[in-house]
């Protein structure tokens, strides 16, 4: 398998976990960032969970990925945002 090939078969439902400090606009901001690259994303595709102390938010954003390039673009957009601490 070459470097450019992916082990993921496309299209595929793909969960991306995004974590950051609790902020009123966090969920909406991440939704808008991801939607640029996955226009079919809806609010139902996002699961929100607060940390036990309430200081952090974890979002699981499940996109219908159509290519590795699309996933790479989503990861770049999300990891580059100042509110985001971790992306898995």
């Amino acid at each position: 398998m070459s470097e450019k090939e992916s082990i993921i078969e496309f299209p595929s439902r793909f969960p991306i976990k995004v974590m950051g400090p609790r902020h009123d606009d966090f969920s909406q901001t991440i939704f808008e960032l991801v939607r640029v690259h996955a226009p079919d994303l809806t609010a139902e595709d996002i699961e929100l969970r607060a940390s036990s102390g309430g200081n952090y938010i974890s979002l699981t954003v499940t996109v219908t990925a159509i290519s590795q390039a699309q996933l790479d673009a989503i990861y770049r957009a999300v990891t580059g945002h100042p509110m985001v601490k971790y992306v898995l």
Side-chain angles (χ1 to χ4, degrees), residues 26-45:
F26 186 74
S27 184
Q28 185 64 33
T29 299
I30 300 308
F31 175 79
E32 291 169 5
L33 280 173
V34 175
R35 194 152 188 220
V36 167
H37 304 284
D40 59 339
L41 187 72
T42 67
E44 289 77 33
D45 295 319

Side-chain angles (χ1 to χ4, degrees), residues 30-80:
I30 300 308
F31 175 79
E32 291 169 5
L33 280 173
V34 175
R35 194 152 188 220
V36 167
H37 304 284
D40 59 339
L41 187 72
T42 67
E44 289 77 33
D45 295 319
I46 298 180
E47 262 183 63
L48 183 142
R49 178 172 289 148
S51 66
S52 58
N55 296 323
Y56 293 91
I57 293 176
S58 168
L59 300 178
T60 301
V61 183
T62 304
V63 299
T64 301
I66 57 171
S67 69
Q68 185 64 50
Q70 178 196 34
L71 287 176
D72 293 345
I74 292 169
Y75 272 88
R76 278 192 301 275
V78 174
T79 57

